Amino acid sequence: MTGSQVPAAIAEYRTAADVSPEETRDAIVNPAHCVVCAGLTATSVGGLFDTRFGIAGNYEVRRCLQCGLEQLFPVPAPAQLKNFYEHYYNFSGERDTVYTTFREWFFSSPLYRLWIRLDGDISFHTRKGSGRLLDIGCNEGRTLKNYARNGFQAEGTELNETAAAVARAAGFHVFTGQLEDFAPATPYDVAVLSNVLEHSLDPKAMLLSAHRLLKPGGQVWISCPNSQSWLRSVFGQWWINWHIPFHITHFSPHALRNLLEDSGFLHIEIRQITPALWVASSIVAWLFAREGRATRQLRNAFLIFGLVLLCRALLFPLLSWGNRAGRGDCLVATAARAG
Ligand SMILES: [Zn+2]
């Protein structure tokens, strides 16, 4: 970066929005560039650490002075992230524990379908339809079963080979390379990014890939945390959706809409849901998480399920107010490729 680029980027932004003098100073003194538009960023939240697995390291979230997108800093290197996913993430070999047994039973039970009608469906499990559906980041294929049950011809992409093997054993086609390299013979009617986009090191490239993989008029369905959630304000550094160091970007409704438009999508609709599980998880992180230590209480089925029921029963007026006020915990978006 040359000296002349710094004031130019900030001057452009300052005419358009509210950058404080502190942010301007921070962006110059401690320069880091936006993962989407390469604009300068300034610290919006500091002192963050992994509240789930106890991965070492201190992080902050910075806000792009140009496009407004919030993002993790420092961004882990791709090889480091791959290592974290293999060691800690969803499919790291945890099986037959009380938590996973309960989870498996719950997700395949009629009780789950009843629950998401009450609590909100952030994974599109209640949407019925037909045609070809691609679940991007399908994990071990649990959700593929739901989409198939709802009438879709469901397929997935998944970087984790172990998880993909489980989905294939259940009869699903799963592509395991980089999304940019995926070139199916027939395009899809629906591409699903359920709590995936915020994990991407390049969310715009991911949306452009989704766009390319869809047939004209095809839809992308996205869910991701809302960076304007009221729960972020309440829980501060303990907000479960910081999810250090796995959540790279943090979208406001405005930032998500802009990125969808820039990636060629139309008819964008964004609504908000606040899953009781996310509220319960923030409470558990606030009560129990300590830096450098795994929060095993997050895998305690009785504690989590009890808190989920309590949050749903006692906080429902607040949760529904948050959703209506644009400050819900999860954004649920639908957009279409031009027909
Ligand atoms: Zn930016």
Side-chain angles (χ1 to χ4, degrees):
M1 178 177 44
T2 66
S4 63
Q5 281 173 312
V6 175
I10 290 172
E12 183 190 330
Y13 182 79
R14 282 176 108 178
T15 56
D18 54 336
V19 179
S20 68
E22 290 75 23
E23 280 183 308
T24 309
R25 213 173 302 125
D26 185 24
I28 296 170
V29 171
N30 188 13
H33 293 271
C34 174
V35 295
V36 167
C37 76
L40 282 165
T41 61
T43 306
S44 51
V45 187
L48 298 173
F49 60 90
D50 174 21
T51 56
R52 301 194 193 196
F53 308 112
I55 298 173
N58 276 283
Y59 292 80
E60 57 185 47
V61 163
R62 297 175 71 94
R63 179 167 167 263
C64 176
L65 303 193
Q66 206 151 270
C67 74
L69 184 71
E70 286 185 293
Q71 47 207 271
L72 182 67
F73 180 81
V75 178
Q80 192 184 20
L81 261 185
K82 186 171 184 292
N83 189 30
F84 287 153
Y85 277 107
E86 283 172 1
H87 281 89
Y88 297 100
Y89 220 60
N90 291 352
F91 205 82
S92 56
E94 183 188 3
R95 276 178 167 192
D96 301 328
T97 62
V98 174
Y99 181 82
T100 55
T101 308
F102 178 79
R103 193 178 61 183
E104 286 309 311
W105 168 79
F106 181 67
F107 281 124
S108 57
S109 72
L111 196 62
Y112 173 62
R113 287 188 285 282
L114 186 70
W115 173 257
I116 51 180
R117 288 203 184 278
L118 179 75
D119 196 46
D121 179 12
I122 61 164
S123 299
F124 314 103
H125 287 169
T126 51
R127 290 193 186 183
K128 297 201 185 302
S130 59
R132 286 164 54 75
L133 178 149
L134 182 69
D135 184 13
I136 298 168
C138 70
N139 253 311
E140 68 268 36
R142 200 175 56 224
T143 52
L144 290 174
K145 292 177 190 166
N146 278 305
Y147 302 135
R149 201 181 294 135
N150 288 341
F152 293 101
Q153 189 187 327
E155 298 177 13
T157 73
E158 174 54 53
L159 286 171
N160 184 325
E161 291 281 355
T162 319
V166 176
R168 285 188 186 125
F172 294 104
H173 288 289
V174 179
F175 175 76
T176 45
Q178 294 294 330
L179 196 60
E180 290 82 357
D181 301 327
F182 185 36
T186 317
Y188 292 89
D189 296 274
V190 178
V192 180
L193 288 161
S194 173
N195 293 290
V196 163
L197 192 63
E198 67 276 19
H199 290 254
S200 174
L201 287 166
D202 190 344
K204 186 165 181 188
M206 184 172 261
L207 287 182
L208 289 171
S209 289
H211 189 275
R212 175 179 60 81
L213 292 165
L214 286 169
K215 60 172 66 164
Q219 290 198 334
V220 65
W221 298 348
I222 299 171
S223 57
C224 64
N226 178 11
S227 67
Q228 292 186 338
S229 169
W230 67 276
L231 292 149
R232 163 187 176 160
S233 314
V234 168
F235 289 105
Q237 69 188 123
W238 312 103
W239 186 43
I240 201 68
N241 285 315
W242 294 128
H243 199 359
I244 302 293
F246 295 97
H247 282 182
I248 309 297
T249 46
H250 298 276
F251 295 96
S252 64
H254 183 71
L256 181 59
R257 182 176 291 277
N258 281 350
L259 196 61
L260 278 163
E261 281 172 356
D262 287 351
S263 310
F265 286 99
L266 306 166
H267 309 303
I268 302 164
E269 286 175 22
I270 304 178
R271 44 193 205 96
Q272 308 198 1
I273 289 175
T274 303
L277 174 63
W278 292 15
V279 186
S281 303
S282 285
I283 294 173
V284 170
W286 172 66
L287 285 174
F288 298 106
R290 299 289 175 272
E291 194 172 345
R293 213 177 67 188
T295 308
R296 57 189 165 73
Q297 290 85 354
L298 284 168
R299 311 298 276 181
N300 181 325
F302 299 107
L303 176 65
I304 290 290
F305 190 61
L307 271 176
V308 162
L309 290 180
L310 208 62
C311 291
R312 191 70 238 170
L314 298 182
L315 300 181
F316 71 92
L318 207 52
L319 303 189
S320 119
W321 162 81
N323 298 339
R324 284 198 311 272
R327 300 196 63 195
D329 223 18
C330 180
L331 301 176
V332 178
T334 303
R337 181 185 164 143

